[in-house]
Amino acid sequence: MIRFIIGLLLVSGLAFSYEMDFKKDTTCLVRHLKVYKYPEWVSKIELQNGKKIFFSSPKSMFEFYFRPAKWSDLGVKHESDFKDIIVTDFATTKPINAKGAFYVYGTNEISPAGDDLVPFGTYAEAEKFSKEHRGQRILSFKEVSDGLIRLLNGRI
């Protein structure tokens, strides 16, 4: 019985794990960079139709998230078209749910996309990183705005 319960816990843990299943030729939709070169920054949105869209950084992922119509050929019309939104935890380099992540704004850490948001799976890790890298603020997914992404891109 104990083996069954342990097995069930292991299998259920795998059901909620994410993977960054990019290949060497996978490019960022927004910046057209090869994402394998910067694995600690990779983000991904999986659509309900099974398509996987990769990004070279969280900032690039948010650009698509806030303005999917710019890439109309993908057919994204509503947030309900998204199945999973995944970012790479900067501390562990493991894929995590973007909506549960904490993002450090205003650090001295630069992504391949320039000024960016640094994602973490826990607030404690985000806070530690923020203190070590002169972070200005820690944000939840819901606190990240299109205006902030435009500011990071120098468009305001």
Side-chain angles (χ1 to χ4, degrees), residues 1-16:
M1 183 67 170
I2 291 176
R3 285 185 182 163
F4 174 75
I5 292 172
I6 291 172
L8 187 61
L9 289 172
L10 288 173
V11 171
S12 67
L14 292 175
F16 295 107

Side-chain angles (χ1 to χ4, degrees), residues 79-135:
E79 188 171 352
S80 62
D81 293 327
F82 300 139
K83 179 181 175 194
D84 286 314
I85 305 173
I86 304 163
V87 294
T88 302
D89 182 312
F90 203 77
T92 66
T93 66
K94 295 192 182 319
I96 58 173
N97 181 328
K99 289 191 174 185
F102 298 93
Y103 301 88
V104 183
Y105 163 74
T107 72
N108 58 4
E109 189 69 41
I110 304 295
S111 82
D115 289 336
D116 218 308
L117 300 172
V118 186
F120 293 91
T122 68
Y123 189 87
E125 283 293 331
E127 189 173 42
K128 177 182 172 196
F129 182 86
S130 181
K131 288 176 183 174
E132 293 172 357
H133 295 270
R134 297 183 293 195

